[in-house]
Amino acid sequence: MNIDRRRVLSGLGSAGALLATGSWLDAIGYAQIGRGPARVGIMPRHGVADLDRRLFGSFLEHLGRAIYTGIYEPGSALASRDGLRTDVAREVRELGVPIVRYPGGNFVSGYNWLDGVGPKAQRPTVLDRAWNSLETNQFGTNEFIDWCRSVEAEPLLGMNFGTGTSEQAVAYVEYCNVERGTKWSDLRRAHGYAQPHNVRCWCLGNEMDGPWQIGQLQARDYGRKARDAARQMRVIDGRLQLIACGSSGTNMPTYLVWDREVLEECYDQVDAVSLHAYYGNTPALTGSNAARYLAMNLDMDRQIHEIAAVCDYVRALRRSSKRLWLSFDEWNVWYRARGGEATNGRRQVAPRLLEEVYNLEDALLVGGLINTLIRNSDRVRVACLAQLVNVIAPLVTNQTTVVRQTIYYPYAWALHHARGQLLDVRVESETYPISAAGLQADVARNDQVPWVDIVATEHAQTKQLCVLMLNRDLEGEREVALDWGGGIRPSRVLACETLTGADLKASNTFEQPRRVAPQRLDPPAVSDRMVFKLPARSYTVAQLATE
């Protein structure tokens, strides 16, 4: 059954009605002006909590070479005694990835977590039906927890709600989080882990609305299963944060209706709902038009506002005092290695699957998507760039080294510089038109898109500001005048870098690992009004100290 998004949203109160009318750009702080530099007013946003660092998380699935030869490669000259790739661990630690989702993804819906614990010689090799690959189970929950500790990341564990039962899911929590004296906690201790793992954040399944998903469920059936399992989990550990499966994409025929029906069943027992989205420069999504492609982060803005409207609608129905947050726990560019041989493991161990090669325009869009997540950080508390190594990833490995793909750089800038509180950014910018003609229904719209996309943060402890700026203009430099207000006083520029280039299709390779890499950008003099000159087709970070 096809569900009209505007009709659904029109019934969800003021937030939904605003989105349905198409005037939603006003709600994210953008206004259209005539010719001239973009004008940006930046003020403190009072009463907003600090950015949740988990907004810049990532994802590892038992898929392709993400685990095996990605982070785990026993016998490699680059591996530790535990078989962990030390070069990859060093990259992830230096990035400062705060949380990593594991073990799936589609994989989790057919996964028995017991296959991946205990003596390795006794672990079974099984056929993973999600990706038609052989899974040796030599890397499992305990190895993942060890790896997370080595890179200083929090684990976000996914549960099998496909072939798995509520009883198996609850046992998983007991295995990880109870100290001793029960069947599953004592099994963990027998496996050499005396102290509990204390995993706080759990995904209650993955994309359970998808016909591709093992064990696909109807919304209310899934919602009831999630409610039952969640109640039992909270008996074991009352500190858990539980994420329900939201719609797996805006193109799903049940988009928004799924979310409403699921939450009507389990709202009181969960803390968040998940969002997933992948983007690509394809005929269906963009008309293969780079200018439309670089506006796709606004489709992410729209999705966030729509799902939040559904959450708030159900909250009102239930007269609940609890406000759900959002977990955007799969997002990235993914459209080249998306079918055929790129998704068929042919019953091999660690086949090459989903190995997307990213170019400059992909990196620019990733920068825009990061801007969107930061802009919506009052509602989105967890987000996971999918994935981390080899599989649709910022890092790729061979036998001797690891290379940073183009999308690594905007991700790294957010991790290193975007801290503290989100600032109130109001942008007046020239715009360019995008057209609905010929595009997939969920992204088809006639609209005006600002040439620039900007977010800013302030970290009180370090007295530093971060400004992240996307210039969507493919042909020309754009001037951006930042006006500081509300007592914000920049004193000096600590760093100013940009990612740009003449060739939007340029990529990094093992032979040319820095073909696309940050360049220094000359910043303006520090004052209450600073005019940056953003190169054509660029993403720029400015880090400033305050008085």
Side-chain angles (χ1 to χ4, degrees):
M1 177 176 62
N2 288 318
I3 306 296
D4 181 79
R5 170 160 51 182
R6 289 179 181 270
R7 180 166 54 83
V8 173
L9 285 167
S10 66
L12 298 184
S14 60
L18 174 64
L19 294 166
T21 63
S23 61
W24 62 281
L25 273 177
D26 294 340
I28 61 173
Y30 283 79
Q32 185 176 2
I33 62 170
R35 298 187 61 80
R39 300 191 294 267
V40 183
I42 303 180
M43 299 275 289
R45 183 177 289 191
H46 298 293
V48 176
D50 282 358
L51 288 178
D52 193 320
R53 295 296 301 159
R54 299 177 300 174
L55 190 69
F56 308 125
S58 193
F59 177 28
L60 283 168
E61 182 172 356
H62 280 258
L63 161 59
R65 298 192 308 121
I67 301 296
Y68 305 109
T69 76
I71 66 169
Y72 180 73
E73 192 173 9
S76 166
L78 297 168
S80 66
R81 288 185 300 174
D82 296 330
L84 301 175
R85 284 274 302 236
T86 56
D87 56 341
V88 174
R90 182 171 58 252
E91 287 278 359
V92 176
R93 194 181 307 109
E94 289 176 358
L95 269 172
V97 179
I99 191 169
V100 179
R101 181 172 174 246
Y102 170 89
N106 293 351
F107 172 84
V108 79
S109 292
Y111 179 58
N112 184 344
W113 64 267
L114 280 167
D115 289 344
V117 297
K120 291 191 177 184
Q122 298 175 20
R123 299 184 191 180
T125 294
V126 300
L127 177 62
D128 164 36
R129 286 96 68 200
W131 303 105
N132 194 26
S133 304
L134 289 182
E135 173 54 55
T136 66
N137 284 302
Q138 293 302 288
F139 188 97
T141 300
N142 294 320
E143 288 81 17
F144 176 67
I145 297 295
D146 287 341
W147 180 84
C148 282
R149 288 171 179 156
S150 76
V151 300
E152 301 175 2
E154 178 185 349
L156 166 56
L157 289 184
M159 293 173 159
N160 179 353
F161 269 51
T163 62
T165 64
S166 295
E167 182 180 9
Q168 291 169 325
V170 174
Y172 199 13
V173 175
E174 182 181 319
Y175 180 90
C176 289
N177 286 13
V178 173
E179 183 174 1
R180 64 170 70 219
T182 68
K183 175 181 178 179
W184 300 112
S185 64
D186 286 346
L187 180 64
R188 185 199 67 246
R189 294 173 68 87
H191 292 161
Y193 292 82
Q195 296 303 312
H197 297 325
N198 290 321
V199 178
R200 291 285 157 258
C201 212
W202 299 78
C203 292
L204 304 181
N206 175 76
E207 297 183 354
M208 295 310 303
D209 59 335
W212 59 86
Q213 200 70 207
I214 296 170
Q216 179 194 14
L217 293 170
Q218 296 300 305
R220 294 201 180 275
D221 292 336
Y222 165 75
R224 292 174 188 130
K225 184 174 183 178
R227 180 183 64 210
D228 174 56
R231 282 175 173 167
Q232 296 182 58
M233 291 170 198
R234 294 194 186 282
V235 172
I236 296 203
D237 189 338
R239 300 165 295 173
L240 301 181
Q241 293 184 326
L242 302 180
I243 301 167
C245 281
S247 293
S248 55
T250 59
N251 63 328
M252 295 296 292
T254 55
Y255 175 61
L256 301 180
V257 174
W258 165 277
D259 305 84
R260 175 180 61 79
E261 291 183 348
V262 165
L263 292 177
E264 284 175 352
E265 298 295 337
C266 67
Y267 189 97
D268 294 338
Q269 290 297 330
V270 301
D271 301 287
V273 65
S274 70
L275 297 80
H276 291 180
Y278 293 100
Y279 306 89
N281 195 0
T282 69
L285 295 176
T286 65
S288 300
N289 180 284
R292 175 63 183 96
Y293 183 48
L294 295 188
M296 290 199 83
N297 71 300
L298 300 180
D299 296 288
M300 179 190 259
D301 271 289
R302 191 183 187 98
Q303 182 181 357
I304 290 168
H305 282 250
E306 288 174 346
I307 297 298
V310 174
C311 291
D312 293 343
Y313 172 76
V314 177
R315 177 189 183 185
L317 283 180
R318 300 189 68 84
R319 303 292 193 267
S320 175
S321 61
K322 179 172 66 175
R323 183 176 188 248
L324 295 191
W325 46 272
L326 306 182
S327 177
F328 216 124
D329 45 47
E330 285 190 36
W331 69 270
N332 203 346
V333 170
W334 176 30
Y335 68 101
R336 301 173 186 89
R338 188 140 192 178
E341 292 303 302
T343 58
N344 183 358
R346 294 190 172 274
R347 302 192 179 182
Q348 300 173 12
V349 175
R352 290 181 175 269
L353 299 179
L354 281 61
E355 299 211 7
E356 195 94 344
V357 177
Y358 292 111
N359 59 31
L360 174 60
E361 69 179 3
D362 298 330
L364 300 183
L365 176 59
V366 165
L369 296 167
I370 287 169
N371 281 16
T372 288
L373 292 171
I374 294 172
R375 181 160 50 237
N376 292 282
S377 58
D378 61 328
R379 200 63 186 261
V380 183
R381 294 192 190 172
V382 171
C384 300
L385 174 67
Q387 294 187 20
L388 186 54
V389 185
N390 287 333
V391 173
I392 49 173
L395 299 171
V396 292
T397 67
N398 62 14
Q399 291 181 335
T400 60
T401 192
V402 57
V403 164
R404 298 171 176 178
Q405 292 223 69
T406 61
I407 65 169
Y408 169 94
Y409 296 105
Y411 182 48
W413 286 345
L415 280 163
H416 294 161
H417 302 305
R419 296 176 179 271
Q421 286 201 341
L422 174 68
L423 294 174
D424 190 356
V425 175
R426 300 290 164 172
V427 180
E428 296 179 336
S429 170
E430 290 186 63
T431 60
Y432 64 93
I434 59 172
S435 171
L439 301 187
Q440 187 172 292
D442 59 316
V443 295
R445 68 179 189 274
N446 298 312
D447 213 336
Q448 293 290 321
V449 172
W451 285 114
V452 297
D453 192 297
I454 298 169
V455 293
T457 63
E458 181 178 26
H459 193 221
Q461 286 74 26
T462 60
K463 297 185 177 180
Q464 291 183 3
L465 302 163
C466 170
V467 186
L468 294 163
M469 299 173 279
L470 171 65
N471 178 10
R472 299 187 178 100
D473 192 332
L474 302 178
E475 304 298 331
E477 175 184 276
R478 288 277 158 178
E479 288 191 354
V480 173
L482 302 186
D483 290 315
W484 303 98
I488 300 174
R489 296 277 186 268
S491 57
R492 68 184 188 281
V493 177
L494 301 174
C496 189
E497 292 185 300
T498 192
L499 198 65
T500 187
D503 183 4
L504 283 172
K505 307 301 182 182
S507 300
N508 293 337
T509 64
F510 288 102
E511 295 73 28
Q512 292 181 290
R514 289 187 59 81
R515 187 179 177 199
V516 179
Q519 309 167 23
R520 184 182 181 277
L521 182 68
D522 289 333
V526 174
S527 68
D528 290 342
R529 181 180 175 85
M530 300 175 66
V531 180
F532 286 83
K533 296 183 178 181
L534 306 181
R537 58 199 169 275
S538 67
Y539 188 67
T540 300
V541 61
Q543 184 186 19
L544 302 94
T546 59
E547 294 177 347

